């Protein structure tokens, strides 16, 4: 009987341990609307108690790492030391990437040359990071889709 109880406890505890999800994305890096280059990234989603951490590491240069944290309770997004809030009015839909809409996140305390908006959903992670005075990055699965990139850029710039 003790062995059965022990076995049940082990099964319950092992079910509570959420595993990280791994994926690959192809990043298209733009200066304005001009494509500078594409780069492959390995990504992981780590699940914690109240948040998810999305980490993207370049396959070509592991020093190129992008990390964002999504707070499941507040629905806020953290990129570096900056906090982004969801804009409820605008979403982007692309069923080939995710069954869920991508929301736009803007800096909670904006400043003239700040990053954003960011297109993101909890299932897919980062779709795009817009940067007025730096590179804009669009993360797609391996499919090359120029029309989709143009649509994403249009949403980010409006």
């Amino acid at each position: 009987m003790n062995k059965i109880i022990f076995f049940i406890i082990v099964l319950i505890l092992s079910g509570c341990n959420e595993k990280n999800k791994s994926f690959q994305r192809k990043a298209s890096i733009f200066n304005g609307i001009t494509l500078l280059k594409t780069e492959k990234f390995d990504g992981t989603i780590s699940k914690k108690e109240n948040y998810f951490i999305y980490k993207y590491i370049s396959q070509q240069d592991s020093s190129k790492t992008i990390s964002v944290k999504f707070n499941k309770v507040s629905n806020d997004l953290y990129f570096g030391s900056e906090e982004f809030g969801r804009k409820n009015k605008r979403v982007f839909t692309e069923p080939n990437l995710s069954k869920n809409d991508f929301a736009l996140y803007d800096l909670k305390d904006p400043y003239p040359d700040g990053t954003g908006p960011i297109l993101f959903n909890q299932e897919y992670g980062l779709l795009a990071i817009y940067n007025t005075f730096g590179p804009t990055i669009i993360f797609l699965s391996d499919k090359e889709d120029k029309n989709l990139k143009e649509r994403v850029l249009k949403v980010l710039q409006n």
Side-chain angles (χ1 to χ4, degrees), residues 17-30:
N17 183 15
E18 297 183 51
K19 296 188 179 185
N20 294 346
K21 176 183 172 186
S22 296
F23 55 89
Q24 289 189 338
R25 297 283 189 261
K26 186 175 182 182
S28 297
I29 302 164
F30 292 85

Side-chain angles (χ1 to χ4, degrees), residues 66-78:
I66 297 171
S67 183
V68 295
K69 183 167 81 170
F70 176 72
N71 185 316
K72 296 187 286 189
V73 177
S74 67
N75 286 326
D76 289 333
L77 195 63
Y78 300 87

Side-chain angles (χ1 to χ4, degrees), residues 32-63:
I33 60 170
T34 304
L35 179 63
L36 298 176
K37 64 181 176 175
T38 59
E39 213 171 303
K40 289 188 178 183
F41 280 74
D42 292 320
T44 57
I45 302 172
S46 304
K47 300 176 183 181
K48 305 296 180 189
E49 187 174 333
N50 290 324
Y51 56 90
F52 293 102
I53 298 172
Y54 299 78
K55 192 169 188 176
Y56 302 79
I57 301 172
S58 170
Q59 291 180 1
Q60 296 171 346
D61 179 356
S62 62
S63 70

Side-chain angles (χ1 to χ4, degrees), residues 79-131:
F79 177 50
S81 62
E82 300 175 319
E83 183 177 5
F84 292 77
R86 182 179 174 153
K87 289 177 75 172
N88 289 327
K89 300 177 211 168
R90 296 174 53 202
V91 296
F92 179 80
T93 303
E94 182 50 56
N96 292 329
L97 296 177
S98 174
K99 62 184 175 199
N100 300 319
D101 291 336
F102 290 90
L104 276 167
Y105 288 80
D106 277 327
L107 279 170
K108 284 197 165 183
D109 294 317
Y111 52 95
D113 60 347
T115 300
I118 294 175
L119 269 173
F120 172 88
N121 81 24
Q122 188 175 334
E123 173 199 2
Y124 186 87
L126 286 173
L127 175 56
I129 301 173
Y130 183 72
N131 195 337

